[in-house]
Amino acid sequence: MGEHTAPKFPQEIIDEYAALGVDLPALFSAGHLGERMGVQIAEASADRVVGTMPVEGNTQPYGLLHGGASAVLAETLGSVGSMLHGGATKLAVGVDLNCTHHRGVRSGLVTGVATPVHRGRSTATYEIVITDEQDKRVCTARLTCMLRDVPKPAAA
């Protein structure tokens, strides 16, 4: 599905997670489902997350981009933004996702851009706009994540 690229994070965020022993770019490679679907995260910060996904291999029986594939791209990007907003002491867990599909796409690459709508202490909401290669809106999604404390390691 294409060559894998590491997500681009601001250096201060990479350093913050590295101090905790976490390889942030490896952690957010889009996960197993995202990898299977060809999702690639190109840019990531709490203010903006950008990723792409090929249409090929992610279609429904009529040959159009599957709505569930758009949902996977949207939830991946919104979750990354939520996690970066929460910081190293929080886990982002999706609690609500809605997607409005505006037009069909049969080929090429779609691009999603996630931007924050709300960033609080316990929740974060991102709008994700997915466009085709002609920059036409394919899908508008909104993801709300609950921000939970990272579990403390068990004492040995």
Side-chain angles (χ1 to χ4, degrees):
M1 290 251 174
E3 164 184 328
H4 179 75
T5 59
K8 297 177 180 124
F9 293 94
Q11 190 60 48
E12 65 271 12
I13 293 173
I14 292 173
D15 294 344
E16 176 186 356
Y17 282 82
L20 300 170
V22 176
D23 180 352
L24 194 60
L27 178 64
F28 277 94
S29 64
H32 295 295
L33 178 60
E35 286 176 14
R36 235 185 340 260
M37 297 181 73
V39 173
Q40 294 186 6
I41 299 171
E43 174 188 331
S45 73
D47 293 321
R48 178 180 157 95
V49 183
V50 179
T52 61
M53 181 180 67
V55 173
E56 183 180 346
N58 294 315
T59 58
Q60 40 90 310
Y62 299 114
L64 298 170
L65 177 64
H66 196 292
S70 293
V72 167
L73 178 59
E75 186 152 357
T76 299
L77 301 178
S79 292
V80 169
S82 295
M83 185 277 308
L84 291 172
H85 162 65
T89 63
K90 298 286 186 179
L91 294 174
V93 180
V95 294
D96 182 64
L97 172 67
N98 68 68
C99 301
T100 300
H101 306 288
H102 305 293
R103 70 176 63 245
V105 181
R106 292 188 179 277
S107 63
L109 202 63
V110 291
T111 300
V113 178
T115 55
V117 173
H118 166 76
R119 291 188 294 187
R121 286 179 301 206
S122 60
T123 63
T125 301
Y126 280 75
E127 177 184 59
I128 303 93
V129 174
I130 300 173
T131 57
D132 64 14
E133 291 179 318
Q134 287 72 47
D135 207 30
K136 291 186 178 177
R137 192 178 291 227
V138 172
C139 175
T140 303
R142 189 185 69 232
L143 174 71
T144 298
C145 288
M146 179 171 45
L147 301 174
R148 302 187 63 183
D149 291 331
V150 171
K152 304 263 188 271

